Every structure is written in structure tokens, then in C-alpha cells.
Amino acid sequence: MDHNYIHLSPDNLASEHLCCIIRTKKSHPGVEAKREWLADRLPEGHVFRKLDEKAAVFIEYAPLETAWVPVLGENYLYIYCLWVNGAQKGHGYGRELMEYCLADAKAQGKSGVCMLGAKKQKAWLSDQAFAKKYGFKVVDETSGGYELLALSFDGTVPQFAPNAKKEEIPEKTLMVYYDRQCPYIVQTLEKLKSHCETADIPADFIEVDTLEKAKNLPCVFNNWAVFHNGKFVTVNLMDPASLGRLLK
């Protein structure tokens, strides 16, 4: 039996829980940044569908043309995140959310749905093995092991933008590209910046604050990307400990 879900909208955005694991009654800078980011995205057709309770159960997707990722294609939806956490697993939430997205795509006359994956599952990407059960297939890949998964309804397929396959930049410092879509980014950014300053680690942090910047990034991106010594490293959010392992 289907459970109760709601969509975030301009009317309820200020009051609804945003579904991540962050739990606080006080204003949280990451959550508020997420609200501001969503306020501009919702009019573009961005969908945030969540279980109608305080739980980490949601799907977030958008028309590919306005999705802040270096992926190109026409008439597709792009899934940023499909997340069911911890105790919520095993109740059919993931199935219901995925099936809703696919039905929505078909109702809109879309050519298909796509998402970012990798040859080895990344902690900050949706479960690609789950998506493949619905017929998602790898339609493009980078030399760094990232994959574009798509479920096509009409035989067309999206692709990574050519610039996303460069995976190199001239700068040799630690370079982090980020946007404010994920509530964890603000606190992660603050900790990483502080650590780099204290440890005297040369680093640059570049906010991706427009669609054009996102489409022209030199690597794959879901809301975060890290370069070191001019080479693309990961889309996983990093803390000082993981940065230390990278620098070694």
C-alpha cells in the first residue's frame, strides 16, 4: 500500500522538514541554504517529494535542461537524489518514490530519466544497483570511473558534457567546487576551510551558483567535486580526516 507523501512548494517550503538526517529545532545554516536554493529551483520544475513525516525518505529530480549538472540531453528528467535512510529501509519507500518519478516522466511526455553513478558505488550518490532493477543502463562514462545511467523511453540517450570528461584543471592547489543544494555542504565547507587555514593547506573553494557554471564544470558533479594536484578526485563530501588521507 502506498504511503503518504507531499511535494515541497513555495507555500510549504519554509515550514517543511527537508528530510536529511540533520535534526535541530534551531535554524540550521545548511538547511536554510537548501531552502533558498530550492526556492529558485521549484519554479523551474524541480521536484522534491518526501514522506509526510520527519524521516530521511525523499526523491529529488528536475528537468535535465535546468539540472545543475554537466549532463546534456533533451526532454529528460535528472535524479539528484533518491534516499531512504536507516530504520526507514524495507518499507517500500524507495520503490514508491522511483515509480512515482518514472510515472511523472511518462505523464510529462519525457524521453527518459537519468542519474549519476560510478563503477564503484559512491557514498554520496544514489544506489545505482537499485536503479538498474528498473532498467537503467550505463549510457556514458568518464575515464575516472563515473557513469551516467539512463532509462530511455524512446531510444534517445543523454550524455556527459564534453567538459565533464576533462577531469583536469591547471590549478595544483586543493580545489573544491560546490553548490548549496545539500544541507551538509555548508557545515562541511566551514570545517574544511578552517582545517586548511589552520594546517596551512593551499585551497580554493568555488561556489557553483549558476546553471551555466554547473553545465561547464571540468568534471562530473552532483553538488560537490574535489580536485587535487590538478586531477579530479571525488564527488564525495570530505572532512579533515578524509582530506588528510588524500594528501598523503
Side-chain angles (χ1 to χ4, degrees):
M1 184 176 74
D2 285 356
H3 301 86
N4 292 323
Y5 296 92
I6 59 173
H7 282 203
L8 294 186
S9 70
D11 292 332
N12 64 16
L13 180 58
S15 58
E16 284 295 334
H17 181 254
L18 294 186
C19 289
C20 280
I21 305 170
I22 296 170
R23 296 282 187 267
T24 176
K25 293 182 178 179
K26 298 180 180 179
S27 178
H28 187 285
V31 173
E32 296 314 310
K34 169 78 172 185
R35 290 192 205 281
E36 292 177 9
W37 191 88
L38 279 173
D40 291 329
R41 304 286 77 76
L42 292 177
E44 300 170 349
H46 188 106
V47 171
F48 192 121
R49 181 175 172 83
K50 63 185 285 287
L51 190 66
D52 191 13
E53 58 183 79
K54 288 188 176 181
V57 178
F58 67 99
I59 189 170
E60 196 169 353
Y61 60 88
L64 181 56
E65 292 85 349
T66 57
W68 284 30
V69 291
V71 178
L72 304 177
E74 295 183 359
N75 206 36
Y76 263 74
L77 293 181
Y78 177 84
I79 298 176
Y80 285 102
C81 192
L82 170 56
W83 191 255
V84 179
N85 184 67
Q88 283 78 38
K89 293 181 178 180
H91 299 284
Y93 298 136
R95 172 184 57 78
E96 291 172 356
L97 290 168
M98 176 64 84
E99 291 178 356
Y100 179 90
C101 176
L102 299 183
D104 190 18
K106 291 177 180 178
Q108 293 185 52
K110 296 294 184 182
S111 294
V113 181
C114 61
M115 60 181 279
L116 180 62
K119 291 185 183 299
K120 183 178 180 181
Q121 177 70 44
K122 303 296 182 181
W124 290 88
L125 294 180
S126 299
D127 186 349
Q128 59 234 30
F130 177 74
K132 288 178 179 178
K133 293 179 181 179
Y134 288 86
F136 282 74
K137 297 180 180 179
V138 176
V139 296
D140 202 358
E141 58 186 304
T142 72
S143 59
Y146 286 87
E147 300 174 333
L148 181 63
L149 280 65
L151 175 58
S152 177
F153 303 148
D154 61 8
T156 64
V157 293
Q159 61 185 5
F160 287 124
N163 44 278
K165 294 187 175 183
K166 291 180 180 178
E167 300 184 321
E168 292 185 357
I169 56 176
E171 296 83 359
K172 301 303 180 183
T173 59
L174 177 73
M175 182 76 75
V176 177
Y177 294 94
Y178 69 95
D179 65 24
R180 297 181 180 274
Q181 183 198 11
C182 175
Y184 286 96
I185 286 176
V186 171
Q187 63 191 48
T188 298
L189 200 62
E190 290 176 353
K191 290 179 181 179
L192 212 55
K193 281 183 176 180
S194 177
H195 175 73
C196 288
E197 291 173 2
T198 301
D200 198 24
I201 298 170
D204 291 294
F205 299 87
I206 309 298
E207 183 173 2
V208 179
D209 53 7
T210 68
L211 176 64
E212 182 180 9
K213 287 182 181 179
K215 292 294 186 186
N216 287 286
L217 283 166
C219 61
V220 299
F221 183 80
N222 214 42
N223 50 49
W224 179 271
V226 179
F227 281 80
H228 180 238
N229 285 334
K231 304 291 184 181
F232 174 56
V233 179
T234 185
V235 296
N236 283 1
L237 271 66
M238 302 185 75
D239 58 16
S242 57
L243 175 58
R245 291 191 291 271
L246 169 64
L247 298 180
K248 288 181 180 179

